[in-house]
Amino acid sequence: MNAIITEPLQPSTPWVSLATNSAAWAAADPKLLDSMLTSMVLIRAFEEKVLELAGQGLVHGPAHSAIGQEGGAVGSVLAMRGSDQINGSHRAHHQFLAKALQYVAPQGLESAAPFGDDVRTIADRTMSEILGLARGYCKGRGGSMHLRWAESGNLGTNAIVGGGVPGAAGAAWAHKRAGTGDVAFTYFGDGAVNIGSVLETMNLAAAWKLPLCFFIENNRYAVSTTVEEATAEPRLSSRGLAFGIPAWKVDGMDPLAVYLASEAAVKAMRAGEGPTIIEVDVYRYFHQNGPLPGSAFGYRSKDEEKAWRARDPIDRVAAEMAARQLIGDEQVASLRARAAALMEETAAELVEQHEGKRRIVPSLWPSPDFRDFGVRGDLSELRDVRYVEQEEFTGEITESRFVDVVADVMERRMREDDGIVVMGEDVHRLKGGTNGATRGLSSSFPDRVLGTPIAENAFVGLAGGIAMDGRFVPVVEFMYPDFMWVAADQVFNQIGKARHMFGGDGEVPLVLRTKVAMGTGYGSQHSMDPAGIFATAPGWRIVAASTPYDYVGLMNSALRCKDPVLVLEHVDLYNSKGPAPVGDLDYFIPLGKAKRVRTGQHLTVLTYLAMVRPVLEAVEKLGIDADVIDLRSLDRAGVDWALIEQSIDKTGNVLIVEQGANGTSYGGWLAAEIQNRCFDMLDQPVQRVHGSEASPSISKVLESAAFAGPEDIEAGLRLAMAGQGRPLA
């Protein structure tokens, strides 16, 4: 008797192949087919002109064309409405143009009609962007790979393979929360489908039933690596089965089949059924980048390329329309000629002949002084708030636990602003997460405190998408700051760079909370101070409060700010008590304003977070006449140089005190900046107190040796005083 019993298991969601037949083409709306053909012809003509310019050396950087893949983009976009949104990858001209054209012509384009001014403007601004010119959609910063036109539903294309997928989930979350019925599509290729951020986002989108379509353009090659080399299951839409996501596999060279699959997917998403997957089999006629075919590089054959070209999506639609006598060969030829002429006219306004060579018209380049515009905003959103330092506060002050104030101020803000949403691992459980910092929030706001899977890439990227949407303010908790390395692409490449990369005008109002946990025995991968990493990455603001009172004001400013803000906390402060307001949790403390917490004449001590109190204690113990400055704002734009330079001019001596490792030090770059700015004021080199090179270990003894403590502070103070000829007894 066989003791093993096996029973086939069935997936919880359908996975189907969808194809058209003659009846489907006969039933298709003539206006739909005409718009489909016109859009594809315009996109093809645009891409051909870009490759021509690239061949002439006029495109600075890559030109990832999607010639041959237009059927996937146009077929899917025509199933959307103008308020739906999309994003894509580095190969996304066709998707961007399809959505832009659909936005300006919601009733569809007509092949026989002249191209309107809106269509011409799209061609001009998109080509300008690819050439890096000031009148491009991102003012020349985005080029070929970073195309954003938010009004049209184009959220922004992305040079990191798979990197834009979590952000699209954020847009989908915002649509669901707002109840608009809108959906989002995220386009990516076979090379991205196995990337962690994509799979993490599939899981999160399914768990939260987000209206997001994962649209896979399977063109069979990730640069030159075939699908079969990269995965044992080359039918990439199968990924949906693992997450309970319904999926369609479609011939992408058949735009009507793509449209019908997209129509079904959109219907399901608008009905609240959650995410979908569509895989389209397409083919890029050219190499990964530039005007040469893939066969020129030896990884595919000319016969293969010829076979795919014989299935061209434009020819397919034209032939089906001709069979129904909706269009003739002359009309198709005329449409192609007019589209080519439009792109030639567009290029002629951007390029000129000069001394026998083609060049960009010089006046069209962005000004070099535009270089740093939009790395961060100008903080005008904080112009009219009520700033109150503790010394000026007229209300009641009491001694409170730091962690209680963390929860209290967030409760106040969420009660007054229903656009704030909190997310992170276990923030909805354990009586306020692992430390109590979100205490009471999930019971008060159950639909706005979201416990996430252990998937930092997905949930912080999703938060970035929510922030860029603009209707909500996400507050993300990283249980430990070291987890930023897991989500580094989303934190630094996406969220931190987004405003600047897309032209400087966008906003990314996001708060990322995390705690420094040195001294808790959690070892090398849970104990870092991330200030030095974030300070050297563009786009982020950083605040670090040393008292409960300051935390309230700084968190209020962080939540009002339109830039991403890292809010640093510390386990040593959580259970400590300090001055906190009673009742009034509505004041602000300025971003970019340090605080002198002790006045002296002989030494300037710069510190932050949990090191402020031990520094003050050491200065008092040793009887040093020192200025002690709590930095509070740590990002490059937030360093209070006016106060620091005033103090250094008085004392001539500087000691920077931080707790964490030397390798990821905040004080290293700050010391270099001080010596550049204040060299003539200094009586000796800037002195520093910091941890060792190694990360803290589990052993209590080795952990204590790895980060700076009271003995190190005292030694640093003695060294700084001795260096100015005032040695301490």
Side-chain angles (χ1 to χ4, degrees):
M1 180 178 178
N2 190 346
I4 300 174
I5 300 172
T6 62
E7 182 180 348
L9 296 175
Q10 297 299 318
S12 62
T13 191
W15 176 36
V16 300
S17 172
L18 186 152
T20 61
N21 55 22
S22 57
W25 283 95
D29 183 350
K31 282 188 173 182
L32 170 70
L33 298 180
D34 197 40
S35 185
M36 191 176 284
L37 177 67
T38 305
S39 295
M40 288 195 295
V41 168
L42 279 166
I43 293 167
R44 176 74 59 87
F46 179 91
E47 294 261 64
E48 288 173 341
K49 179 54 67 174
V50 168
L51 287 187
E52 179 186 318
L53 295 171
Q56 296 168 356
L58 295 170
V59 177
H60 183 64
H64 299 106
S65 79
I67 293 174
Q69 299 185 193
E70 299 90 349
V74 172
S76 57
V77 164
L78 289 179
M80 302 179 205
R81 60 194 186 198
S83 53
D84 294 330
Q85 295 176 312
I86 72 168
N87 74 358
S89 66
H90 57 286
R91 188 182 314 285
H93 302 165
H94 56 320
Q95 298 147 7
F96 180 88
L97 290 168
K99 189 66 174 73
L101 291 169
Q102 180 250 14
Y103 175 70
V104 301
Q107 304 307 314
L109 295 169
E110 297 179 21
S111 60
F115 301 128
D117 290 342
D118 285 341
V119 172
R120 292 177 177 273
T121 298
I122 289 169
D124 175 81
R125 294 194 66 190
T126 309
M127 195 174 293
S128 293
E129 186 58 48
I130 291 170
L131 293 175
L133 307 183
R135 68 195 201 196
Y137 282 106
C138 300
K139 303 179 179 64
R141 286 206 181 128
S144 174
M145 297 187 290
H146 306 295
L147 296 165
R148 174 177 166 87
W149 183 24
E151 292 83 354
S152 70
N154 276 295
L155 296 170
T157 61
N158 208 287
I160 302 298
V161 176
V165 174
W173 185 92
H175 293 325
K176 180 178 179 179
R177 174 72 186 172
T180 61
D182 291 334
V183 304
F185 274 58
T186 184
Y187 295 86
F188 53 94
D190 49 282
V193 79
N194 300 312
I195 284 175
S197 59
V198 174
L199 300 173
E200 285 183 22
T201 306
M202 285 182 177
N203 177 63
L204 189 56
W208 290 0
K209 287 193 172 298
L210 302 182
L212 175 63
C213 179
F214 298 88
F215 196 96
I216 306 167
E217 288 186 315
N218 185 352
N219 66 21
R220 300 192 49 77
Y221 293 93
V223 187
S224 64
T225 301
T226 66
V227 174
E228 290 77 11
E229 290 177 286
T231 179
E233 174 50 279
R235 298 171 300 172
L236 304 179
S237 45
S238 66
R239 304 306 192 264
L241 301 181
F243 302 109
I245 304 176
W248 290 260
K249 184 171 175 59
V250 185
D251 176 8
M253 309 304 270
D254 178 348
L256 180 59
V258 177
Y259 171 81
L260 294 172
S262 301
E263 189 178 46
V266 167
K267 181 179 179 182
M269 292 187 292
R270 293 206 205 284
E273 296 175 15
T276 57
I277 292 175
I278 298 174
E279 177 191 3
V280 298
D281 292 313
V282 292
Y283 200 77
R284 54 171 164 83
Y285 293 169
F286 293 90
H287 178 52
Q288 163 77 357
N289 171 35
L292 297 175
S295 56
F297 297 86
Y299 61 86
R300 63 190 194 194
S301 69
K302 291 182 179 179
D303 287 343
E304 178 184 299
E305 292 172 344
K306 182 178 179 181
W308 279 93
R309 281 181 176 269
R311 300 173 53 209
D312 188 273
I314 295 176
D315 293 344
R316 175 70 186 274
V317 174
E320 296 287 356
M321 290 179 68
R324 290 178 57 184
Q325 298 184 334
L326 299 174
I327 202 167
D329 291 345
E330 290 185 4
Q331 290 171 287
V332 174
S334 173
L335 173 61
R336 289 180 182 269
R338 288 188 294 112
L342 170 61
M343 303 311 163
E344 180 62 32
E345 293 165 11
T346 300
E349 293 186 9
L350 310 177
V351 176
E352 66 181 9
Q353 199 76 16
H354 178 72
E355 296 180 352
K357 294 182 180 180
R358 302 259 284 167
R359 71 171 188 181
I360 302 293
V361 176
S363 62
L364 299 180
W365 292 111
S367 172
D369 62 14
F370 184 63
R371 179 193 63 191
D372 292 335
F373 171 79
V375 171
R376 300 172 189 83
D378 61 4
L379 296 181
S380 57
E381 62 271 25
L382 290 161
R383 184 175 298 141
D384 298 322
V385 303
R386 178 171 62 99
Y387 289 125
V388 185
E389 294 286 356
Q390 183 183 331
E391 293 73 16
E392 304 158 356
F393 189 74
T394 58
E396 182 182 352
I397 297 282
T398 188
E399 291 286 304
S400 294
R401 282 201 320 156
F402 197 107
V403 73
D404 291 338
V405 173
V406 172
D408 289 345
V409 69
M410 186 57 64
E411 198 276 342
R412 174 68 66 89
R413 296 284 72 79
M414 292 184 76
R415 193 166 297 284
E416 294 193 348
D417 183 353
D418 61 8
I420 296 174
V421 56
V422 172
M423 65 181 70
E425 295 155 7
D426 295 302
V427 295
H428 61 320
R429 298 273 164 79
L430 306 177
K431 297 182 179 179
T434 54
N435 290 96
T438 52
R439 168 188 45 79
L441 298 184
S442 62
S443 58
S444 298
F445 316 102
D447 58 338
R448 290 194 283 137
V449 179
L450 310 177
T452 66
I454 300 174
E456 281 82 8
N457 240 322
F459 70 72
V460 75
L462 180 146
I466 293 173
M468 292 181 69
D469 175 86
R471 287 174 287 185
F472 305 94
V473 177
V475 180
V476 181
E477 178 181 300
F478 275 1
M479 195 178 291
Y480 292 92
D482 308 65
F483 298 172
M484 73 177 184
W485 297 122
V486 180
D489 175 48
Q490 297 302 318
V491 171
F492 300 119
N493 263 334
Q494 310 297 339
I495 294 167
K497 293 179 181 177
R499 182 197 279 262
H500 182 268
M501 183 170 67
F502 290 126
D505 295 329
E507 297 174 344
V508 191
L510 179 149
V511 172
L512 174 59
R513 293 181 44 251
T514 194
K515 63 175 182 283
V516 178
M518 293 179 201
T520 60
Y522 269 71
S524 295
Q525 296 175 332
H526 286 66
S527 303
M528 78 175 298
D529 176 351
I533 303 299
F534 276 82
T536 55
W540 282 89
R541 296 186 185 273
I542 312 166
V543 297
S546 63
T547 70
Y549 182 92
D550 282 2
Y551 187 91
V552 171
L554 289 171
M555 176 54 82
N556 285 337
S557 291
L559 287 168
R560 182 72 66 93
C561 182
K562 298 301 184 181
D563 296 320
V565 183
L566 173 68
V567 176
L568 280 179
E569 300 161 13
H570 200 295
V571 291
D572 286 352
L573 294 175
Y574 276 158
N575 289 316
S576 69
K577 287 190 173 183
V582 176
D584 182 359
L585 297 173
D586 303 323
Y587 60 88
F588 292 74
I589 286 177
L591 301 179
K593 184 67 175 174
K595 183 175 184 179
R596 183 187 279 113
V597 293
R598 188 185 189 281
T599 301
Q601 301 296 318
H602 296 155
L603 179 64
T604 298
V605 185
L606 306 176
T607 189
Y608 61 95
L609 205 62
M611 297 302 271
V612 174
R613 185 174 295 180
V615 163
L616 288 171
E617 290 171 352
V619 167
E620 292 296 330
K621 174 185 174 183
L622 296 175
I624 299 172
D625 191 13
D627 253 8
V628 179
I629 295 176
D630 180 356
L631 294 169
R632 298 197 300 192
S633 286
L634 305 179
D635 54 274
R636 286 181 181 272
V639 175
D640 188 349
W641 288 112
L643 178 59
I644 291 171
E645 290 177 2
Q646 185 272 335
S647 178
I648 295 173
D649 188 47
K650 174 180 61 174
T651 68
N653 298 277
V654 182
L655 176 67
I656 299 172
V657 179
E658 61 186 320
Q659 186 179 37
N662 191 25
T664 54
S665 165
Y666 177 79
W669 84 263
L670 182 60
E673 284 291 312
I674 289 171
Q675 294 191 151
N676 284 337
R677 286 172 169 263
C678 308
F679 184 80
D680 292 339
M681 302 179 193
L682 293 171
D683 296 332
Q684 63 173 316
V686 174
Q687 301 295 334
R688 293 175 54 210
V689 172
H690 51 74
S692 68
E693 180 182 357
S695 301
S697 306
I698 294 292
S699 164
K700 190 171 185 178
V701 172
L702 295 177
E703 181 185 45
S704 295
F707 61 79
E711 292 181 359
D712 301 290
I713 296 171
E714 183 172 331
L717 289 167
R718 288 182 178 277
L719 182 64
M721 295 305 293
Q724 55 179 287
R726 292 188 175 95
L728 301 176

